[in-house]
PDB file of all heavy atoms in Angstrom:
ATOM      1  N   GLY A 444      -8.078  -4.794  18.271  1.00 62.00           N
ATOM      2  CA  GLY A 444      -8.970  -5.039  17.130  1.00 62.00           C
ATOM      3  C   GLY A 444      -8.226  -5.547  15.919  1.00 62.00           C
ATOM      4  O   GLY A 444      -7.596  -6.595  15.949  1.00 62.00           O
ATOM      5  N   LEU A 445      -8.278  -4.781  14.840  1.00 68.00           N
ATOM      6  CA  LEU A 445      -7.601  -5.158  13.576  1.00 68.00           C
ATOM      7  C   LEU A 445      -6.073  -5.196  13.688  1.00 68.00           C
ATOM      8  O   LEU A 445      -5.411  -5.725  12.821  1.00 68.00           O
ATOM      9  CB  LEU A 445      -7.994  -4.206  12.458  1.00 68.00           C
ATOM     10  CG  LEU A 445      -9.461  -4.165  12.093  1.00 68.00           C
ATOM     11  CD1 LEU A 445      -9.690  -3.067  11.032  1.00 68.00           C
ATOM     12  CD2 LEU A 445      -9.952  -5.500  11.587  1.00 68.00           C
ATOM     13  N   TYR A 446      -5.534  -4.578  14.748  1.00 67.00           N
ATOM     14  CA  TYR A 446      -4.098  -4.458  14.878  1.00 67.00           C
ATOM     15  C   TYR A 446      -3.483  -5.405  15.898  1.00 67.00           C
ATOM     16  O   TYR A 446      -2.368  -5.182  16.358  1.00 67.00           O
ATOM     17  CB  TYR A 446      -3.739  -2.985  15.189  1.00 67.00           C
ATOM     18  CG  TYR A 446      -4.143  -2.072  14.052  1.00 67.00           C
ATOM     19  CD1 TYR A 446      -5.277  -1.285  14.153  1.00 67.00           C
ATOM     20  CD2 TYR A 446      -3.430  -2.041  12.864  1.00 67.00           C
ATOM     21  CE1 TYR A 446      -5.671  -0.456  13.115  1.00 67.00           C
ATOM     22  CE2 TYR A 446      -3.813  -1.234  11.822  1.00 67.00           C
ATOM     23  CZ  TYR A 446      -4.945  -0.452  11.955  1.00 67.00           C
ATOM     24  OH  TYR A 446      -5.326   0.360  10.898  1.00 67.00           O
ATOM     25  N   THR A 447      -4.183  -6.485  16.249  1.00 82.00           N
ATOM     26  CA  THR A 447      -3.610  -7.482  17.133  1.00 82.00           C
ATOM     27  C   THR A 447      -2.770  -8.458  16.278  1.00 82.00           C
ATOM     28  O   THR A 447      -3.046  -8.638  15.084  1.00 82.00           O
ATOM     29  CB  THR A 447      -4.681  -8.289  17.884  1.00 82.00           C
ATOM     30  OG1 THR A 447      -5.465  -8.999  16.908  1.00 82.00           O
ATOM     31  CG2 THR A 447      -5.542  -7.381  18.729  1.00 82.00           C
ATOM     32  N   PRO A 448      -1.803  -9.124  16.907  1.00 86.00           N
ATOM     33  CA  PRO A 448      -1.053 -10.152  16.142  1.00 86.00           C
ATOM     34  C   PRO A 448      -1.953 -11.251  15.608  1.00 86.00           C
ATOM     35  O   PRO A 448      -1.761 -11.726  14.500  1.00 86.00           O
ATOM     36  CB  PRO A 448      -0.073 -10.701  17.190  1.00 86.00           C
ATOM     37  CG  PRO A 448       0.084  -9.587  18.171  1.00 86.00           C
ATOM     38  CD  PRO A 448      -1.250  -8.897  18.223  1.00 86.00           C
ATOM     39  N   GLU A 449      -3.007 -11.612  16.357  1.00 90.00           N
ATOM     40  CA  GLU A 449      -3.904 -12.655  15.897  1.00 90.00           C
ATOM     41  C   GLU A 449      -4.691 -12.232  14.673  1.00 90.00           C
ATOM     42  O   GLU A 449      -4.885 -13.015  13.722  1.00 90.00           O
ATOM     43  CB  GLU A 449      -4.918 -13.035  17.035  1.00 90.00           C
ATOM     44  CG  GLU A 449      -4.298 -13.619  18.265  1.00 90.00           C
ATOM     45  CD  GLU A 449      -3.644 -12.572  19.199  1.00 90.00           C
ATOM     46  OE1 GLU A 449      -3.932 -11.357  19.064  1.00 90.00           O
ATOM     47  OE2 GLU A 449      -2.828 -12.975  20.064  1.00 90.00           O
ATOM     48  N   ALA A 450      -5.126 -10.976  14.648  1.00 88.00           N
ATOM     49  CA  ALA A 450      -5.840 -10.452  13.476  1.00 88.00           C
ATOM     50  C   ALA A 450      -4.932 -10.431  12.270  1.00 88.00           C
ATOM     51  O   ALA A 450      -5.366 -10.725  11.125  1.00 88.00           O
ATOM     52  CB  ALA A 450      -6.406  -9.068  13.776  1.00 88.00           C
ATOM     53  N   THR A 451      -3.687 -10.072  12.452  1.00 89.00           N
ATOM     54  CA  THR A 451      -2.710 -10.044  11.353  1.00 89.00           C
ATOM     55  C   THR A 451      -2.508 -11.426  10.788  1.00 89.00           C
ATOM     56  O   THR A 451      -2.515 -11.632   9.567  1.00 89.00           O
ATOM     57  CB  THR A 451      -1.368  -9.437  11.817  1.00 89.00           C
ATOM     58  OG1 THR A 451      -1.593  -8.112  12.245  1.00 89.00           O
ATOM     59  CG2 THR A 451      -0.331  -9.471  10.736  1.00 89.00           C
ATOM     60  N   VAL A 452      -2.362 -12.423  11.652  1.00 93.00           N
ATOM     61  CA  VAL A 452      -2.204 -13.829  11.212  1.00 93.00           C
ATOM     62  C   VAL A 452      -3.454 -14.249  10.398  1.00 93.00           C
ATOM     63  O   VAL A 452      -3.324 -14.861   9.347  1.00 93.00           O
ATOM     64  CB  VAL A 452      -1.957 -14.762  12.396  1.00 93.00           C
ATOM     65  CG1 VAL A 452      -2.088 -16.231  11.994  1.00 93.00           C
ATOM     66  CG2 VAL A 452      -0.586 -14.505  12.982  1.00 93.00           C
ATOM     67  N   GLN A 453      -4.618 -13.930  10.905  1.00 94.00           N
ATOM     68  CA  GLN A 453      -5.856 -14.302  10.200  1.00 94.00           C
ATOM     69  C   GLN A 453      -5.941 -13.598   8.833  1.00 94.00           C
ATOM     70  O   GLN A 453      -6.375 -14.195   7.845  1.00 94.00           O
ATOM     71  CB  GLN A 453      -7.077 -13.948  11.037  1.00 94.00           C
ATOM     72  CG  GLN A 453      -7.250 -14.817  12.270  1.00 94.00           C
ATOM     73  CD  GLN A 453      -8.419 -14.362  13.145  1.00 94.00           C
ATOM     74  OE1 GLN A 453      -8.982 -13.299  12.955  1.00 94.00           O
ATOM     75  NE2 GLN A 453      -8.729 -15.220  14.130  1.00 94.00           N
ATOM     76  N   THR A 454      -5.551 -12.364   8.778  1.00 93.00           N
ATOM     77  CA  THR A 454      -5.601 -11.598   7.530  1.00 93.00           C
ATOM     78  C   THR A 454      -4.698 -12.227   6.466  1.00 93.00           C
ATOM     79  O   THR A 454      -5.088 -12.488   5.349  1.00 93.00           O
ATOM     80  CB  THR A 454      -5.198 -10.141   7.735  1.00 93.00           C
ATOM     81  OG1 THR A 454      -6.153  -9.524   8.624  1.00 93.00           O
ATOM     82  CG2 THR A 454      -5.137  -9.341   6.429  1.00 93.00           C
ATOM     83  N   TYR A 455      -3.456 -12.547   6.847  1.00 96.00           N
ATOM     84  CA  TYR A 455      -2.507 -13.128   5.878  1.00 96.00           C
ATOM     85  C   TYR A 455      -2.913 -14.538   5.517  1.00 96.00           C
ATOM     86  O   TYR A 455      -2.719 -14.949   4.360  1.00 96.00           O
ATOM     87  CB  TYR A 455      -1.069 -13.041   6.400  1.00 96.00           C
ATOM     88  CG  TYR A 455      -0.497 -11.662   6.219  1.00 96.00           C
ATOM     89  CD1 TYR A 455      -0.593 -10.718   7.220  1.00 96.00           C
ATOM     90  CD2 TYR A 455       0.140 -11.318   5.026  1.00 96.00           C
ATOM     91  CE1 TYR A 455      -0.111  -9.437   7.011  1.00 96.00           C
ATOM     92  CE2 TYR A 455       0.623 -10.030   4.820  1.00 96.00           C
ATOM     93  CZ  TYR A 455       0.494  -9.086   5.835  1.00 96.00           C
ATOM     94  OH  TYR A 455       0.972  -7.842   5.642  1.00 96.00           O
ATOM     95  N   ALA A 456      -3.501 -15.286   6.439  1.00 97.00           N
ATOM     96  CA  ALA A 456      -3.989 -16.626   6.098  1.00 97.00           C
ATOM     97  C   ALA A 456      -5.117 -16.527   5.081  1.00 97.00           C
ATOM     98  O   ALA A 456      -5.164 -17.317   4.115  1.00 97.00           O
ATOM     99  CB  ALA A 456      -4.468 -17.355   7.359  1.00 97.00           C
ATOM    100  N   ARG A 457      -6.026 -15.589   5.255  1.00 97.00           N
ATOM    101  CA  ARG A 457      -7.127 -15.404   4.317  1.00 97.00           C
ATOM    102  C   ARG A 457      -6.602 -14.973   2.947  1.00 97.00           C
ATOM    103  O   ARG A 457      -7.055 -15.435   1.896  1.00 97.00           O
ATOM    104  CB  ARG A 457      -8.129 -14.401   4.850  1.00 97.00           C
ATOM    105  CG  ARG A 457      -9.286 -14.153   3.949  1.00 97.00           C
ATOM    106  CD  ARG A 457     -10.189 -15.372   3.819  1.00 97.00           C
ATOM    107  NE  ARG A 457     -11.364 -15.015   3.017  1.00 97.00           N
ATOM    108  CZ  ARG A 457     -11.939 -15.837   2.177  1.00 97.00           C
ATOM    109  NH1 ARG A 457     -11.522 -17.066   2.021  1.00 97.00           N
ATOM    110  NH2 ARG A 457     -12.985 -15.434   1.473  1.00 97.00           N
ATOM    111  N   LEU A 458      -5.620 -14.068   2.930  1.00 97.00           N
ATOM    112  CA  LEU A 458      -5.015 -13.630   1.664  1.00 97.00           C
ATOM    113  C   LEU A 458      -4.376 -14.820   0.937  1.00 97.00           C
ATOM    114  O   LEU A 458      -4.535 -14.932  -0.285  1.00 97.00           O
ATOM    115  CB  LEU A 458      -3.986 -12.536   1.911  1.00 97.00           C
ATOM    116  CG  LEU A 458      -4.527 -11.170   2.287  1.00 97.00           C
ATOM    117  CD1 LEU A 458      -3.383 -10.234   2.678  1.00 97.00           C
ATOM    118  CD2 LEU A 458      -5.335 -10.562   1.160  1.00 97.00           C
ATOM    119  N   ALA A 459      -3.698 -15.659   1.682  1.00 98.00           N
ATOM    120  CA  ALA A 459      -3.059 -16.842   1.073  1.00 98.00           C
ATOM    121  C   ALA A 459      -4.117 -17.804   0.516  1.00 98.00           C
ATOM    122  O   ALA A 459      -3.954 -18.347  -0.581  1.00 98.00           O
ATOM    123  CB  ALA A 459      -2.179 -17.568   2.088  1.00 98.00           C
ATOM    124  N   GLU A 460      -5.188 -17.968   1.252  1.00 98.00           N
ATOM    125  CA  GLU A 460      -6.272 -18.842   0.805  1.00 98.00           C
ATOM    126  C   GLU A 460      -6.887 -18.319  -0.515  1.00 98.00           C
ATOM    127  O   GLU A 460      -7.100 -19.068  -1.449  1.00 98.00           O
ATOM    128  CB  GLU A 460      -7.336 -18.864   1.915  1.00 98.00           C
ATOM    129  CG  GLU A 460      -8.573 -19.677   1.643  1.00 98.00           C
ATOM    130  CD  GLU A 460      -9.562 -19.546   2.803  1.00 98.00           C
ATOM    131  OE1 GLU A 460      -9.166 -19.802   3.961  1.00 98.00           O
ATOM    132  OE2 GLU A 460     -10.709 -19.165   2.518  1.00 98.00           O
ATOM    133  N   LEU A 461      -7.136 -17.022  -0.547  1.00 98.00           N
ATOM    134  CA  LEU A 461      -7.702 -16.442  -1.762  1.00 98.00           C
ATOM    135  C   LEU A 461      -6.713 -16.474  -2.929  1.00 98.00           C
ATOM    136  O   LEU A 461      -7.104 -16.775  -4.057  1.00 98.00           O
ATOM    137  CB  LEU A 461      -8.127 -14.982  -1.483  1.00 98.00           C
ATOM    138  CG  LEU A 461      -9.289 -14.830  -0.526  1.00 98.00           C
ATOM    139  CD1 LEU A 461      -9.477 -13.344  -0.148  1.00 98.00           C
ATOM    140  CD2 LEU A 461     -10.557 -15.396  -1.087  1.00 98.00           C
ATOM    141  N   ALA A 462      -5.446 -16.214  -2.624  1.00 97.00           N
ATOM    142  CA  ALA A 462      -4.416 -16.273  -3.676  1.00 97.00           C
ATOM    143  C   ALA A 462      -4.330 -17.694  -4.257  1.00 97.00           C
ATOM    144  O   ALA A 462      -4.264 -17.861  -5.494  1.00 97.00           O
ATOM    145  CB  ALA A 462      -3.059 -15.854  -3.132  1.00 97.00           C
ATOM    146  N   ARG A 463      -4.401 -18.683  -3.397  1.00 98.00           N
ATOM    147  CA  ARG A 463      -4.360 -20.074  -3.863  1.00 98.00           C
ATOM    148  C   ARG A 463      -5.512 -20.398  -4.814  1.00 98.00           C
ATOM    149  O   ARG A 463      -5.302 -20.943  -5.900  1.00 98.00           O
ATOM    150  CB  ARG A 463      -4.371 -21.039  -2.678  1.00 98.00           C
ATOM    151  CG  ARG A 463      -4.433 -22.509  -3.111  1.00 98.00           C
ATOM    152  CD  ARG A 463      -4.497 -23.444  -1.915  1.00 98.00           C
ATOM    153  NE  ARG A 463      -3.306 -23.452  -1.169  1.00 98.00           N
ATOM    154  CZ  ARG A 463      -2.174 -24.116  -1.495  1.00 98.00           C
ATOM    155  NH1 ARG A 463      -2.167 -24.855  -2.576  1.00 98.00           N
ATOM    156  NH2 ARG A 463      -1.115 -24.089  -0.733  1.00 98.00           N
ATOM    157  N   VAL A 464      -6.708 -19.989  -4.428  1.00 98.00           N
ATOM    158  CA  VAL A 464      -7.896 -20.243  -5.270  1.00 98.00           C
ATOM    159  C   VAL A 464      -7.723 -19.608  -6.643  1.00 98.00           C
ATOM    160  O   VAL A 464      -7.990 -20.251  -7.667  1.00 98.00           O
ATOM    161  CB  VAL A 464      -9.185 -19.743  -4.564  1.00 98.00           C
ATOM    162  CG1 VAL A 464     -10.374 -19.728  -5.495  1.00 98.00           C
ATOM    163  CG2 VAL A 464      -9.469 -20.559  -3.310  1.00 98.00           C
ATOM    164  N   VAL A 465      -7.282 -18.376  -6.661  1.00 97.00           N
ATOM    165  CA  VAL A 465      -7.156 -17.652  -7.914  1.00 97.00           C
ATOM    166  C   VAL A 465      -6.043 -18.268  -8.772  1.00 97.00           C
ATOM    167  O   VAL A 465      -6.214 -18.488  -9.993  1.00 97.00           O
ATOM    168  CB  VAL A 465      -6.924 -16.152  -7.693  1.00 97.00           C
ATOM    169  CG1 VAL A 465      -6.637 -15.425  -8.980  1.00 97.00           C
ATOM    170  CG2 VAL A 465      -8.149 -15.543  -6.996  1.00 97.00           C
ATOM    171  N   LEU A 466      -4.897 -18.593  -8.160  1.00 96.00           N
ATOM    172  CA  LEU A 466      -3.788 -19.195  -8.902  1.00 96.00           C
ATOM    173  C   LEU A 466      -4.169 -20.556  -9.433  1.00 96.00           C
ATOM    174  O   LEU A 466      -3.834 -20.932 -10.552  1.00 96.00           O
ATOM    175  CB  LEU A 466      -2.568 -19.298  -8.011  1.00 96.00           C
ATOM    176  CG  LEU A 466      -1.887 -17.958  -7.688  1.00 96.00           C
ATOM    177  CD1 LEU A 466      -0.867 -18.134  -6.551  1.00 96.00           C
ATOM    178  CD2 LEU A 466      -1.212 -17.391  -8.912  1.00 96.00           C
ATOM    179  N   GLU A 467      -4.875 -21.361  -8.612  1.00 96.00           N
ATOM    180  CA  GLU A 467      -5.304 -22.679  -9.074  1.00 96.00           C
ATOM    181  C   GLU A 467      -6.290 -22.596 -10.217  1.00 96.00           C
ATOM    182  O   GLU A 467      -6.451 -23.526 -11.012  1.00 96.00           O
ATOM    183  CB  GLU A 467      -5.848 -23.509  -7.927  1.00 96.00           C
ATOM    184  CG  GLU A 467      -4.752 -23.960  -6.994  1.00 96.00           C
ATOM    185  CD  GLU A 467      -5.262 -24.716  -5.781  1.00 96.00           C
ATOM    186  OE1 GLU A 467      -6.461 -24.596  -5.420  1.00 96.00           O
ATOM    187  OE2 GLU A 467      -4.403 -25.399  -5.122  1.00 96.00           O
ATOM    188  N   ALA A 468      -6.975 -21.456 -10.337  1.00 96.00           N
ATOM    189  CA  ALA A 468      -7.878 -21.224 -11.490  1.00 96.00           C
ATOM    190  C   ALA A 468      -7.119 -20.755 -12.703  1.00 96.00           C
ATOM    191  O   ALA A 468      -7.718 -20.463 -13.754  1.00 96.00           O
ATOM    192  CB  ALA A 468      -8.940 -20.191 -11.077  1.00 96.00           C
ATOM    193  N   GLY A 469      -5.775 -20.605 -12.577  1.00 93.00           N
ATOM    194  CA  GLY A 469      -4.955 -20.212 -13.726  1.00 93.00           C
ATOM    195  C   GLY A 469      -4.830 -18.742 -13.953  1.00 93.00           C
ATOM    196  O   GLY A 469      -4.392 -18.301 -15.016  1.00 93.00           O
ATOM    197  N   ARG A 470      -5.180 -17.938 -12.960  1.00 93.00           N
ATOM    198  CA  ARG A 470      -5.096 -16.480 -13.101  1.00 93.00           C
ATOM    199  C   ARG A 470      -3.926 -15.946 -12.302  1.00 93.00           C
ATOM    200  O   ARG A 470      -3.545 -16.514 -11.258  1.00 93.00           O
ATOM    201  CB  ARG A 470      -6.400 -15.855 -12.590  1.00 93.00           C
ATOM    202  CG  ARG A 470      -7.664 -16.370 -13.261  1.00 93.00           C
ATOM    203  CD  ARG A 470      -7.710 -16.144 -14.723  1.00 93.00           C
ATOM    204  NE  ARG A 470      -7.727 -14.721 -14.988  1.00 93.00           N
ATOM    205  CZ  ARG A 470      -7.712 -14.176 -16.159  1.00 93.00           C
ATOM    206  NH1 ARG A 470      -7.726 -14.926 -17.238  1.00 93.00           N
ATOM    207  NH2 ARG A 470      -7.704 -12.873 -16.338  1.00 93.00           N
ATOM    208  N   PRO A 471      -3.366 -14.813 -12.703  1.00 90.00           N
ATOM    209  CA  PRO A 471      -2.261 -14.186 -11.917  1.00 90.00           C
ATOM    210  C   PRO A 471      -2.868 -13.478 -10.688  1.00 90.00           C
ATOM    211  O   PRO A 471      -4.029 -13.135 -10.688  1.00 90.00           O
ATOM    212  CB  PRO A 471      -1.649 -13.194 -12.896  1.00 90.00           C
ATOM    213  CG  PRO A 471      -2.757 -12.870 -13.845  1.00 90.00           C
ATOM    214  CD  PRO A 471      -3.611 -14.116 -13.954  1.00 90.00           C
ATOM    215  N   VAL A 472      -2.029 -13.323  -9.698  1.00 93.00           N
ATOM    216  CA  VAL A 472      -2.471 -12.669  -8.442  1.00 93.00           C
ATOM    217  C   VAL A 472      -1.451 -11.639  -8.029  1.00 93.00           C
ATOM    218  O   VAL A 472      -0.238 -11.838  -8.093  1.00 93.00           O
ATOM    219  CB  VAL A 472      -2.563 -13.747  -7.309  1.00 93.00           C
ATOM    220  CG1 VAL A 472      -2.853 -13.096  -5.977  1.00 93.00           C
ATOM    221  CG2 VAL A 472      -3.650 -14.741  -7.622  1.00 93.00           C
ATOM    222  N   LEU A 473      -1.972 -10.508  -7.574  1.00 92.00           N
ATOM    223  CA  LEU A 473      -1.198  -9.458  -6.935  1.00 92.00           C
ATOM    224  C   LEU A 473      -1.781  -9.301  -5.538  1.00 92.00           C
ATOM    225  O   LEU A 473      -2.949  -8.952  -5.401  1.00 92.00           O
ATOM    226  CB  LEU A 473      -1.276  -8.156  -7.723  1.00 92.00           C
ATOM    227  CG  LEU A 473      -0.554  -6.974  -7.068  1.00 92.00           C
ATOM    228  CD1 LEU A 473       0.970  -7.168  -7.147  1.00 92.00           C
ATOM    229  CD2 LEU A 473      -0.940  -5.687  -7.731  1.00 92.00           C
ATOM    230  N   VAL A 474      -1.003  -9.625  -4.514  1.00 96.00           N
ATOM    231  CA  VAL A 474      -1.468  -9.538  -3.145  1.00 96.00           C
ATOM    232  C   VAL A 474      -0.972  -8.174  -2.603  1.00 96.00           C
ATOM    233  O   VAL A 474       0.226  -7.936  -2.518  1.00 96.00           O
ATOM    234  CB  VAL A 474      -0.955 -10.697  -2.271  1.00 96.00           C
ATOM    235  CG1 VAL A 474      -1.457 -10.568  -0.860  1.00 96.00           C
ATOM    236  CG2 VAL A 474      -1.410 -12.014  -2.870  1.00 96.00           C
TER     237      VAL A 474
END
């Protein structure tokens, strides 16, 4: 489930995507 390598890759990819959006909006990010 949530603890497969594939799920981990998807989670970090989504975090990076969200961090990018927030940073590009000029806001700081804490992941």
